[in-house]
Amino acid sequence: MGIQDIIEGKKQWRAHTARVRALPPDYQIVYREMQKYLFKVGPVDLPDGPLLPGIVDFFEEGAAAGKGVLELIGSDVAAFCDDLIKDSPTYAEIYQASISGESGANGK
């Protein structure tokens, strides 16, 4: 990864955060909570993948339609996030697999 890639990545991230700041306040709060949750348990390709921009697209459409954020995703934000990443490998799964592999190697 060269310096140009880093600069381009920062530009994209700043544009992304500007889109988030343009959302209504309730959408921003839920987005930030989703982002925190996804960064803790989310898919391996989260920083470079289409998930976060896709959520912002979805939220922009919902806000334009005049819907509340909880009308779009339901009251259980974590369950909504889990549904989004259900088919993606996560860091937690990779870690769990490494532990299972180690305990199997130790004869436990």
Side-chain angles (χ1 to χ4, degrees):
M1 175 180 274
I3 190 76
Q4 291 299 348
D5 294 333
I6 294 170
I7 292 170
E8 185 59 32
K10 283 189 170 213
K11 285 180 185 177
Q12 289 174 356
W13 184 252
R14 286 186 183 132
H16 175 79
T17 57
R19 288 177 62 202
V20 172
R21 285 192 306 271
L23 292 168
D26 58 334
Y27 280 83
Q28 289 181 42
I29 292 167
V30 171
Y31 176 83
R32 287 194 179 96
E33 291 304 314
M34 289 174 69
Q35 184 182 35
K36 280 189 232 176
Y37 180 79
L38 290 169
F39 275 124
K40 286 181 185 174
V41 300
V44 175
D45 67 347
L46 182 65
D48 301 323
L51 183 60
L52 293 177
I55 292 170
V56 176
D57 291 341
F58 181 59
F59 279 8
E60 287 172 339
E61 291 171 14
K67 294 184 178 183
V69 67
L70 296 181
E71 286 180 70
L72 294 176
I73 67 168
S75 60
D76 191 344
V77 177
F80 180 80
C81 291
D82 289 340
D83 261 358
L84 290 175
I85 62 171
K86 67 182 172 197
D87 296 326
S88 302
T90 64
Y91 288 111
E93 291 168 346
I94 292 170
Y95 178 70
Q96 187 64 40
S98 73
I99 290 174
S100 297
E102 289 176 7
S103 66
N106 293 332
K108 294 183 181 175

